[in-house]
Amino acid sequence: MNDTTFDYIIVGAGTAGCLLANRLSADASKRVLLIEAGKRDDYHWIHIPVGYLYCIGNPRTDWLYQTEAAPGLNGRSLRYPRGKVLGGCSSINGMIYMRGQSRDYDQWANITGDANWQWEKCLPYFKFHEDHYKGATPLHGEKGVLPELLQTGNAQDEHSTDYFKVLKARQAGGEWRIDKQRLSWDVLESFSKAAQQAGLPSTSDFNQGNNEGVGYFDVNQKNGWRWNTAQAFLRPTCYARPNFELWTQAQVAGLVIETGADGLKRCTGVKVWDGHQLLTATAKREVALSAGSIGSAHILQLAGIGNAQSLHDKGVAVTHDLPGVGANLQDHLQIRSVYKVKNAKTLNTLANSWWGKAKIGLEYAMSRSGPMSMAPSQLGAFTKSSPEHAWPNIQYHVQPLSLDAFGEPLHNFPAITASVCNLNPTSRGSVSLKSADFNDAPAISPNYLSTDEDRKVAADSLRVTRRIMSQAAMAPYAPEEYKPGAQYQTDEDLARLAGDIATTIFHPVGTARMGRIDDVQAVVDPELRVRDGRGGVVRGLRVVDASVMPTITSGNTNSPTLMLAEKAAQWLAHEALASS
């Protein structure tokens, strides 16, 4: 930490941060600092797929956030896992590769007024870093096949062309491995058949723009190991670059924001607590906040960028009154229906003895397959909770196991879980300061099930689950509804019971959302520059993570976060080249 002046400072070595660091440090003339509050990803359970059970709720890898008590959850507070380790949430998440639906991105383009966010213009940025087991196709990328962006440049001017030339010389692209799952379960095959009997089509690829159907999820694994963004984008690529520096166990305590002679604000660096002292790192070009939907909003608020009254109440000097910071929190709430089954192999029964656990461990050691290689959810489905919806609006994560919540023990009876979530919730929550001390976690209030529409979708989705479980394909297992309980039938009962059994599926977005220049709730512009609340931007400061999504994607959020980071890297490099 001797020389603390860099061209770029990236806050958060998670999903977006690792990709940004890779792309920006490809230019050997630019010094890049990547800052991570957690430790390195050398904890063995990170890399074993089933290890998420030991990473969530573990201070070694998790921020250990808790939500505020929620009326929609009948007064419950939820554990709110966020990765605090190299790789961020990609080190503890469910490993599911999911883009969402094309309408999500077309909606972003409409909200922001920027056509660059349309599905057809986002697709090349998904494909650029993909290494898909099916190989290169019009929808997917493959390592070793020159990405579309590098073939055409997709460049509007010479500076973008120069950026892609740098990446091509570095052999960038194809870092993000997408694998087929390495095991199957008879009971899940039967659920798939039951879903088809209930009217869902079968699909072999959820990532074509419309994810309707039932099928197996593709996962971010490689040869049976979790493939997190630290492995994909940092090791060994960035580690071998002399212009790249990584600080771990270093928490950003604030931003350095200065006022220029023209009266405009510029972010010139960050204040970092390394466990012993407070350091200042200086950015000659830009600071990119990639600390996630909780962390980035928290850092902005600590820097005095947020709702002026709320900041004043917590004793924080106001830099810019930007009321959208921390607002617009959206998340997918999963309603975990549990069904006891008979005549079925489930993880509950396989792992209920030391002998069973030993067999599972041996299978993984010998072939990198079996239950230890599995993502939390193997089978997925997308459908409509009721006929009036134009697109699939609910998603299933189906698991050959049951437990009260991730991090809790498996039940001692054979069971499966059909977890369903509302893909497009209308409830909006918030992230706000509890105090001006950076060590104090923010108040997280997702405000689940706070709208009539969300409660109706919750009730309807439980009925869809029951319809699937009542099909002939499931009859050999004599499924018995354990949660929420078949005795509950009315909309009111089902919405209330959803509040009792639902939990987060770990997809918070939207707390620093992008929007048009006249949108008073927008925190960043369409190129992710932080607004100053007066029609301009805070120079040298961007947010690059899921917090900028104006609306949540219709599926898991990790892959869309990588895509928007890919776009942001191009914009950052473009500005540097244009000014040189």
Side-chain angles (χ1 to χ4, degrees), residues 75-120:
R76 289 190 300 136
S77 170
L78 298 182
R79 175 186 288 175
Y80 213 66
R82 297 284 86 201
K84 187 181 182 182
V85 65
L86 209 59
C89 289
S90 76
S91 291
I92 70 170
N93 69 3
M95 296 164 281
I96 291 172
Y97 183 79
M98 185 65 60
R99 295 171 179 167
Q101 297 170 9
S102 61
R103 66 177 174 120
D104 301 328
Y105 305 97
D106 293 340
Q107 184 180 26
W108 290 5
N110 183 56
I111 290 171
T112 61
D114 189 335
N116 284 310
W117 289 108
Q118 291 174 349
W119 164 254
E120 63 180 15

Side-chain angles (χ1 to χ4, degrees), residues 339 466 480-490 494:
Y339 285 80
R466 288 171 173 173
E480 175 190 348
E481 186 175 321
Y482 175 69
K483 285 187 177 182
Q487 67 271 32
Y488 303 106
Q489 295 292 331
T490 68
L494 292 176

Side-chain angles (χ1 to χ4, degrees), residues 411-461:
H411 291 145
N412 61 0
F413 49 79
I416 66 169
T417 300
S419 173
V420 64
C421 72
N422 179 356
L423 290 171
N424 311 118
T426 55
S427 299
R428 296 292 184 268
S430 64
V431 174
S432 58
L433 293 179
K434 286 184 177 178
S435 80
D437 186 342
F438 74 91
N439 286 302
D440 290 343
I444 304 170
S445 302
N447 211 21
Y448 297 118
L449 298 176
S450 61
T451 66
D452 290 342
E453 183 178 351
D454 285 357
R455 290 190 291 272
K456 180 66 164 59
V457 171
D460 287 343
S461 65

